Structure formats: C-alpha cells, structure tokens
Amino acid sequence: MRLSPVFVALLSGLLAADLGLARSVAPRVADSPAAVTGTRKTSLLKNVAGLPPVPSAAQVAATSLNTDDIQGDILVGMHKQKQLFYFFAINDPATFKTHLASDIAPVVASVTQLSNVATQPLVALNIAFSNTGLLALGVTDNLGDSLFANGQAKDATSFKESTSSWVPQFAGTGIHGVIILASDTTDLIDQQVASIESTFGSSISKLYSLSASIRPGNEAGHEMFGFLDGIAQPAINGFNTPLPGQNIVDAGVIITGATNDPITRPSWAVGGSFLAFRQLEQLVPEFNKYLLDNAPAGSGSLQARADLLGARMVGRWKSGAPIDLTPTADDPALGADAQRNNNFTYSHAGFDLGSDQSHCPFSAHIRKTRPRADLGGSLTPPNLSAGANSIMRSGIPYGPEVTSAESASNTTTQERGLAFVAYQAQLSQGFHFLQQTWADNANFPPGKTPATVGLDPIIGQNNGQPRVVNGLLPSNSSASLSIPQFVVSHGGEYFFSPPISAIGGRLSA
Ligand code: HEM
C-alpha cells in the first residue's frame, strides 16, 4: 500500500513531536527562523478538573470574535504547563521591526490555533509591549489607558507597596516588551529562546526572564499555598459557553475595541488587551506556620482547624470547593466539578447577606475580588454584578517546591510564587481596581456588619506591615487578626498585547 504524502508528513511530524525534536518538515504558519517548527501530538495546554475548559475549536468556529487575530494567552486561562516570560529592551528599532514583521508576526499563536491540538505550535509565542516599548517603535497613538501610559512602577504607591522590594528591572520604565513562551517542556522553550535571540541578534537585549511551571502531580493547577487556582474566570458573551454561576461579560471588558468597550481605540489596536504582569512571591512555610499558630479553637485536629483558617482566607478549600457551599469541611468532588464549584452568590435563605460570615468571611480573597451579591444583582446564580471589573487570569506558579528543610524551619530560603497575569481592556477597571479599591480597602465590601471588613488576607497590602483582617474566625465574626504579609510583590509592568495583525502591521511600519 502506498502512503499518501500528507499521511507521511503527518506521521513524521508525530514522531518528531514524540521525540521532542525540533524539525522543519511541517512548518506551522510560516518558515520563520524564529519558530521551533514541528507538529504536536498532545496539547500544550492542560485541562485541570474544576477549571473552565480550554476554549474548544467548536467555540472558536461559532464565535463572532476575531480569534485568528487575538493572541492566544488572552483567552486560554490558567492552563499552561511551562512558561517563560522574556523581558527585553529594543536597541535598534529598524532592525527589530524588520524581524518583528517577517519572523515573529507569522508565528504568534492565536486563540484559534491554541483551541485545537492539531494547529497548536510546539511552542506558543505571544508578545506584548510596554508604553515605552511602543514609543521606541515610534508608535505614539493614544491607547486610552493612562495607567498603561505611565507604567506600573508609577502605580506602586497606589497599592501601598515600595519599589524597593521590586526586581530592579521593573522599578523603572526600561522594559520595552515581553515575549511569553508556553509549551509542555522547558527544552522546547529553550530552543525557542535560542531561535528568537538569533533572529533578533543585537537589536534587542534581554533585561530579565522568569521561568514558570505547573506544579507536579496532584498539585497541578494549584498555586503555591496549595489552592486550586483559575476556577472563576469570566465567560465572554458570544464566545464561552457559561458554566453555572460564571460571570458573563461583554467581550469589550477583556478585549480592546470589542463589544461595549467604552473607550475609543486606534483602529489597529482593536482585538488587543492590556496585560498586567506581577511577580508575587509567596512565603509558603511562613503562611503554613501562621495557619497552625492561629488555628481557630473548636473540634477537629490542629491541621483541620488550620486548613479551615486557610480556606476562610481564600474563600475556597485547597480542592477548589467554595466555603460558601461547604463551610466546615473540604469537598474534593465539589472542587473538581466545574458545573458546581462556581455556582454561588454568598446569599443564603434565612441568613442576612449583610452580616452572615458563617459561610464565607467578607474579607476572603475571592469575595474581595468578586463580591457577587454583595454588590447587588441576583441572589441566585449567576450574579452578574460589577462585570466591568472582571479580569481574565492567565498566571502560573514559579519557583521550586517547598523543601523539607524549609518546612522544618518554617522559613523560605528559595523564592517561589505566582507569575500573575491578568488581561483586561481597562487597567483602571481591572487589575488596578481590584487591588486598590477592593483588596486594599478595609471597608470593602460596603454596608456590612461589622462595617470594617479588613484587607484581603492573601493579596491586601499595607506598606509591608501586618494587615488587619476581620471575620476569619467562624465563631466570632467581629474578631480581628493582624496578618503578616505572605505575598510579597516584586513588581511587574503593564503591557499591551496587540492584535496579531498589528504586530506585522502598525507596530513594524
Ligand atoms: C500570589 C497571589 C495570589 C494567590 C495565591 C491567589 C490565589 C487565588 C485562588 C486560590 C483563587 C480561587 C480559585 C479561583 O477562583 O481561581 C483566586 C481567585 C481569584 N483571584 Fe487570586 N490570587 C493571587 C493574586 C491575585 C491578584 C493580584 C488578583 C487581582 C488583583 C487576584 C484576583 C482574583 C480573582 C478575580 C479571583 C476570582 C474570584 C471569583 O470570581 O470568585 N488574585 N486567587
């Protein structure tokens, strides 16, 4: 039997992918020297039980969003396995633009490509620019976002943090852009970095990089404190099929220039998104010790009571099960069930929404960052309040697992944390708003008894000082805890993730 040439190409591609080999037989989009070419056999994204699934090819086919032109990372959520954030400065704009147009633009991974394993590249490449990066390219158009225009370092005081704890490269405005590489092996990412560096040559300099990875084994999908992360993402109207309880927002909340984005954007910037990057260190052994030392009194083992305190800080048990639905004990089956684990509003028949913290404290991280019925709207799911303040989270843990020596000494000796990524059409409504106006505001949510809620125990900041947090003890809702800061910001930058058409168009003209 003769094999068709198409079948032979496919088969050799599969074999090469199996062996983790870079090859040039079946180029993905274009024969670009910047691409690690080859055919993929298994998805570069991981579907974790309990998280909204990776957007499917069917969803992409049915949507009116131009998913061919939207960079993939914006809409895939927290499903990445290995990732590298490569922060660079542009030294030679003319040479950089030439390569950007001819070598990079053709291989930027779109939402469409990532939705289907058959079209996924070996390494998904996305690229985004800071305001100083756009200026270096001669692009002075007003994108309509002053926080982006000023850069994140100028925003540090809004979050009661000092740039003295920041990675030095983030403390100014010297970073021009970030290349985000995602794959299922670090080896493939390393090959991709080598291709990019040889493509751009001295037209760029690497200023900093951060490599990040899904956690091993059963911790896959969990952030470094141990909680399943990436569950509650907004569903985009006309794109995602909403899961029960999911917030449903217009595309213009996340994508610039899309439906109901209230800001006028330059035409080339329609289909982009603002990317807030933050390197957030997590002091895991210290956090665990605090939970044990401050475990609420009551029945159950010390560890079980410490776990309860942690769950009340986050608003979910480690499995992802919401404490609003299961307030006294974890329910792993609920945590893993995306049809049920987001289906709540904090309202319960027979309980006063204004004073009931027996289910979930007002200060819990997920209640601070999406208060659901606390801000009005339906008492039964879905509660669509404050849709404009939604972000699409796309972060991933970084750093090693906690060692036994660190556990034994209750002391962090190796940095680990969350490479936090949030996409939104307006930083002032998205990341910046959630951190400043909600997480760091002791009187939010409003109209509660007791009136002072305290800061978000996970991400609230108070100039490095302990944070006052109320309502965490189940038996005494007016008790206050003074909680050291276990998430330490090392800063970041605001970027614009442009539509793919602009990468080879306006930005390289
Ligand atoms: C190291 C820092 C952080 C950790 C450990 C963390 C952890 C978590 C966890 C475990 C969840 C619950 C699972 C889920 O729904 O995905 C969650 C949800 C969430 N987080 Fe964070 N987070 C961090 C930083 C941030 C920051 C900086 C923001 C924004 C300012 C943020 C915004 C949110 C939002 C919006 C949700 C979903 C709330 C909902 O809709 O119910 N997180 N986070």
Side-chain angles (χ1 to χ4, degrees), residues 223 228-232 282 365 369-370 372 393 420 459:
E223 51 68 51
L228 186 62
D229 199 8
I231 300 169
Q282 294 175 252
H365 174 57
T369 53
R370 187 183 158 212
R372 305 185 190 217
R393 289 172 298 135
F420 176 84
I459 62 165

Side-chain angles (χ1 to χ4, degrees), residues 51 78 223-233 247 278 280-282 314-317 320 342 344 346 365-367 369-370 372 389-391 393 417-418 420 422 430-436 439 456 458-459 487:
L51 271 56
M78 299 176 78
E223 51 68 51
M224 285 291 185
F225 291 142
F227 296 84
L228 186 62
D229 199 8
I231 300 169
Q233 299 273 30
N247 205 357
R278 303 270 284 165
L280 300 175
E281 180 176 6
Q282 294 175 252
V314 172
R316 292 186 184 271
W317 297 91
N342 206 21
F344 59 94
Y346 302 115
H365 174 57
I366 65 166
R367 196 159 181 174
T369 53
R370 187 183 158 212
R372 305 185 190 217
N389 302 116
S390 299
I391 53 176
R393 289 172 298 135
L418 182 63
F420 176 84
F431 161 70
H432 169 94
F433 186 89
L434 267 50
Q435 181 71 51
Q436 185 189 41
D456 180 324
I458 302 298
I459 62 165
V487 170

Side-chain angles (χ1 to χ4, degrees), residues 23 29 153 200 204 215 231 250 276 295-296 377 405 412 439 493:
R23 54 189 290 282
V29 180
F200 280 123
I204 62 168
R215 294 188 57 208
I231 300 169
D250 285 326
T412 297
E493 185 50 288

Side-chain angles (χ1 to χ4, degrees), residues 70-124:
I70 298 173
Q71 296 199 53
D73 198 45
I74 300 171
L75 296 184
V76 299
M78 299 176 78
H79 292 282
K80 274 67 59 70
Q81 306 195 64
K82 305 280 177 195
Q83 220 166 345
L84 182 81
F85 299 87
Y86 184 101
F87 300 95
F88 63 91
I90 301 164
N91 305 321
D92 171 354
T95 307
F96 176 80
K97 285 182 183 191
T98 305
H99 292 299
L100 187 66
S102 59
D103 304 326
I104 298 296
V107 297
V108 171
S110 68
V111 174
T112 308
Q113 273 177 288
L114 294 190
S115 70
N116 190 339
V117 179
T119 55
Q120 282 179 354
L122 289 184
V123 181

Side-chain angles (χ1 to χ4, degrees), residues 1 33 39 54 141 154 180 208 210 273 281 309 489:
M1 183 182 76
T39 310
V54 174
D141 307 350
K154 281 249 170 62
I180 302 179
Y208 179 62
L210 185 67
S273 190
E281 180 176 6
L309 180 59
S489 167

Side-chain angles (χ1 to χ4, degrees), residues 2-257:
R2 282 180 58 111
L3 298 176
S4 81
V6 173
F7 181 75
V8 171
L10 186 67
L11 187 65
S12 58
L14 292 179
L15 287 173
D18 224 12
L19 297 169
L21 298 176
R23 54 189 290 282
S24 54
V25 182
R28 39 195 252 231
V29 180
D31 253 328
S32 161
V36 175
T37 50
T39 310
R40 186 161 267 296
K41 185 175 171 188
T42 53
S43 178
L44 69 73
L45 301 167
K46 188 171 174 69
N47 264 321
V48 174
L51 271 56
V54 174
S56 68
Q59 275 171 283
V60 160
T63 186
S64 58
L65 277 183
N66 187 358
T67 51
D68 292 349
D69 202 29
I70 298 173
Q71 296 199 53
D73 198 45
I74 300 171
L75 296 184
V76 299
M78 299 176 78
H79 292 282
K80 274 67 59 70
Q81 306 195 64
K82 305 280 177 195
Q83 220 166 345
L84 182 81
F85 299 87
Y86 184 101
F87 300 95
F88 63 91
I90 301 164
N91 305 321
D92 171 354
T95 307
F96 176 80
K97 285 182 183 191
T98 305
H99 292 299
L100 187 66
S102 59
D103 304 326
I104 298 296
V107 297
V108 171
S110 68
V111 174
T112 308
Q113 273 177 288
L114 294 190
S115 70
N116 190 339
V117 179
T119 55
Q120 282 179 354
L122 289 184
V123 181
L125 183 157
N126 275 197
I127 188 166
F129 295 89
S130 68
N131 187 53
T132 51
L134 292 183
L135 294 177
L137 297 177
V139 176
T140 56
D141 307 350
N142 181 2
L143 290 186
D145 196 298
S146 58
L147 292 166
F148 167 74
N150 292 333
Q152 194 178 114
K154 281 249 170 62
D155 216 9
T157 50
S158 313
F159 311 136
K160 296 191 213 133
E161 70 185 68
S162 151
T163 54
S164 62
S165 65
W166 283 29
V167 169
Q169 291 86 337
F170 291 137
T173 54
I175 289 177
H176 289 158
V178 59
I179 297 170
I180 302 179
L181 302 175
S183 191
D184 46 358
T185 72
T186 42
D187 184 45
L188 283 168
I189 290 183
D190 291 347
Q191 288 179 43
Q192 180 71 80
V193 170
S195 306
I196 289 169
E197 289 183 336
S198 105
T199 298
F200 280 123
S202 58
S203 71
I204 62 168
S205 299
K206 172 173 135 181
L207 297 185
Y208 179 62
S209 67
L210 185 67
S211 128
S213 173
I214 193 167
R215 294 188 57 208
N218 291 339
E219 294 300 318
H222 295 241
E223 51 68 51
M224 285 291 185
F225 291 142
F227 296 84
L228 186 62
D229 199 8
I231 300 169
Q233 299 273 30
I236 293 190
N237 214 349
F239 177 57
N240 303 104
T241 310
L243 291 160
Q246 206 172 3
N247 205 357
I248 304 165
V249 304
D250 285 326
V253 171
I254 306 296
I255 307 288
T256 47

